[in-house]
Amino acid sequence: MTVNTPLCFRGKNILAPMVRVGTLPMRLLALDYGADIVYCEELIDIKMMQCKRVINEILETVDFVAPNERVVFRTCERERHHVIFQMGSADAERALAVAKLVESDVAGIDINMGCPKEYSTKASGF
């Protein structure tokens, strides 16, 4: 288990989690413009559990790739100490499994257990 330095949110500029917006290019752009902490878009635990962690040497990224070869989550060393992985989950065991999958590549993990958006409620069974 990797232990990261605790994040302090007081007085920080934070890119909030946004559906279909919090991808790696946007997070890096936010860091370029002064964000201290950036969130990825909400990713559903069931989808992440199917992923394989792959080092992409060409892009110098860490990719979490679904069985259909689609990249579900992509991160890189530059944002490692700034990115919060947000997952939608309604199951503690699945949430823990996904947290263990990504823990060495992110600064923190946020579990969304109550988003009222249809996107979240349908996918996670809240």
Side-chain angles (χ1 to χ4, degrees):
M1 178 173 148
T2 302
V3 177
N4 293 328
T5 305
L7 284 176
C8 174
F9 289 81
R10 182 171 287 142
K12 302 293 184 185
N13 292 317
I14 301 171
L15 174 68
M18 295 177 280
V19 175
R20 296 180 196 86
V21 176
T23 58
L24 180 60
M26 179 64 173
R27 296 191 310 263
L28 293 177
L29 189 61
L31 291 172
D32 287 344
Y33 279 91
D36 300 298
I37 298 170
V38 294
Y39 278 75
C40 73
E41 59 189 331
E42 179 186 22
L43 297 168
I44 306 304
D45 58 1
I46 295 169
K47 185 179 286 188
M48 283 298 296
M49 286 183 66
Q50 300 170 9
C51 291
K52 180 179 175 185
R53 183 182 183 274
V54 177
I55 303 295
N56 184 326
E57 293 180 8
I58 295 171
L59 297 177
E60 297 181 359
T61 60
V62 176
D63 298 343
F64 291 85
V65 182
N68 65 0
E69 298 187 13
R70 180 177 171 265
V71 175
V72 175
F73 176 60
R74 174 173 280 158
T75 188
C76 65
E77 184 60 31
R78 183 171 155 220
E79 72 167 2
R80 183 170 173 262
H81 297 290
H82 305 278
V83 65
I84 305 295
F85 179 85
Q86 185 188 56
M87 87 172 88
S89 182
D91 182 89
E93 289 181 19
R94 286 195 315 255
L96 180 60
V98 173
K100 287 181 177 182
L101 178 66
V102 302
E103 71 181 342
S104 64
D105 300 304
V106 299
I109 297 168
D110 175 69
I111 302 174
N112 187 350
M113 294 186 277
C115 181
K117 291 295 214 179
E118 186 176 3
Y119 170 82
S120 295
T121 59
K122 280 187 173 182
S124 293
F126 296 131

